[in-house]
Amino acid sequence: MIKQQYRSGLSYNLEELLNNSNRKVKLKRGTFLFQEGQEAKELFILLSGKIQISKMNAEGKELTLRLCGHHDIVGELTLFTVDPRYLFTAKIMETGEAAAINIDELEQILFNNSKLAYEYMKWMNDHIRKTTTKFRDLVLNGKKGALYSTLIRLCNSYGVLRTDGIFIDVPLTNQDLANYCGTARESVSRMLGELRDEGVISVERKKIVVHKLSYLKTEISCENCPIEYCNIE
């Protein structure tokens, strides 16, 4: 099984962070945990459900950056800033619950706990490197490369190994994939059709099965980055 080989939340002292949570937040599908530009007072650790992190440009075009799951951290870029504002929008894709931690209190905790501060810095470094590789794929590989890269990352994050390939165990519409790629839905629909015709993928109830992962990797000259950086979370 490939699914959940890697989780992006803090591994060390995560329990300590959770113990400093000020409150629990119920997450309802289709609503927003926070939106871009909103005043940031809290950071969140996802306990259950799924949250989509996205950015909107001036023309209203959406780019999806992450799909967060159990024990992932959202709102992390608001720490140690003046007049903190959320840089992205967090849309709830699957009902669940999150632990909220006051930003001012968390900053003080990190000042007083060097081990936790070190672990948090390590996680942030990995997080930045992962984001950089995503933008690299979007910029250097074009629309097709962006889609292929997204499918590879989805396999690493949500893939379940089967005899016929890798089953991506998360429902995705063509618009969802277009948002991950920063391109139009029509372009993604056409490229997915071509991959289906070539037997590279198939679709089962809005969930994709990748039959030829090596094909996708070859087409984008995949560097086989560690799974810590090559995922959708």
Side-chain angles (χ1 to χ4, degrees):
M1 179 180 289
I2 295 177
K3 187 179 180 181
Q4 294 186 337
Q5 283 186 350
Y6 174 76
R7 298 304 311 174
S8 59
L10 291 173
S11 57
Y12 180 81
N13 269 348
L14 177 62
E15 192 65 33
E16 181 170 341
L17 276 183
L18 291 173
N19 288 340
N20 284 279
S21 170
N22 305 95
R23 64 190 182 99
K24 298 295 190 298
V25 182
K26 297 294 183 182
L27 307 177
K28 183 180 178 182
R29 181 180 177 182
T31 61
F32 297 93
L33 181 59
F34 54 78
Q35 292 183 276
E36 183 178 343
Q38 180 182 336
E39 182 182 3
K41 296 182 179 180
E42 295 173 312
L43 172 148
F44 301 90
I45 300 176
L46 191 56
L47 303 177
S48 60
K50 288 185 174 63
I51 291 179
Q52 174 184 284
I53 304 299
S54 61
K55 180 79 173 177
M56 197 78 72
N57 67 12
E59 289 75 37
K61 189 174 183 180
E62 184 178 18
L63 174 63
T64 299
L65 301 173
R66 299 165 57 198
L67 182 62
C68 303
H70 179 63
H71 279 179
D72 283 335
I73 300 172
V74 294
E76 69 283 346
L77 297 179
T78 58
L79 288 180
F80 303 107
T81 60
V82 178
D83 186 28
R85 304 268 171 180
Y86 292 115
L87 300 179
F88 308 109
T89 292
K91 184 178 180 179
I92 299 163
M93 308 303 291
E94 182 181 290
T95 298
E97 186 178 47
I101 304 174
N102 181 274
I103 289 174
D104 292 335
E105 293 180 12
L106 178 56
E107 290 177 351
Q108 193 60 49
I109 292 169
L110 294 175
F111 272 126
N112 295 330
N113 187 330
S114 58
K115 289 184 178 180
L116 182 58
Y118 171 73
E119 186 68 20
Y120 191 87
M121 289 172 63
K122 274 179 54 181
W123 176 78
M124 281 297 298
N125 180 64
D126 285 345
H127 182 55
I128 291 170
R129 290 183 65 180
K130 180 168 56 178
T131 301
T132 300
T133 62
K134 288 180 183 178
F135 283 124
R136 176 201 64 193
D137 292 342
L138 288 173
V139 172
L140 297 183
N141 294 320
K143 295 178 182 179
K144 182 176 289 188
L147 176 61
Y148 291 6
S149 171
T150 297
L151 291 173
I152 293 168
R153 292 171 186 276
L154 285 165
C155 284
N156 288 338
S157 295
Y158 296 100
V160 178
L161 190 60
R162 305 193 322 192
T163 56
D164 62 340
I166 300 172
F167 176 69
I168 299 175
D169 193 15
V170 60
L172 294 161
T173 66
N174 289 359
Q175 185 61 61
D176 291 333
L177 288 171
N179 290 344
Y180 279 115
C181 300
T183 189
R185 179 181 57 81
E186 293 77 11
S187 296
V188 167
S189 298
R190 175 180 52 78
M191 291 186 288
L192 289 175
E194 293 172 354
L195 290 175
R196 283 196 299 267
D197 293 342
E198 295 172 8
V200 178
I201 69 166
S202 61
V203 180
E204 299 177 3
R205 297 180 182 179
K206 293 187 179 181
K207 294 184 178 180
I208 296 173
V209 183
V210 176
H211 303 292
K212 299 178 182 178
L213 183 62
S214 59
Y215 174 89
L216 300 177
K217 289 186 174 183
T218 299
E219 286 295 301
I220 64 170
S221 301
C222 177
E223 299 175 0
N224 289 309
C225 298
I227 195 170
E228 289 87 348
Y229 308 127
C230 187
N231 60 74
I232 210 71
E233 299 158 354

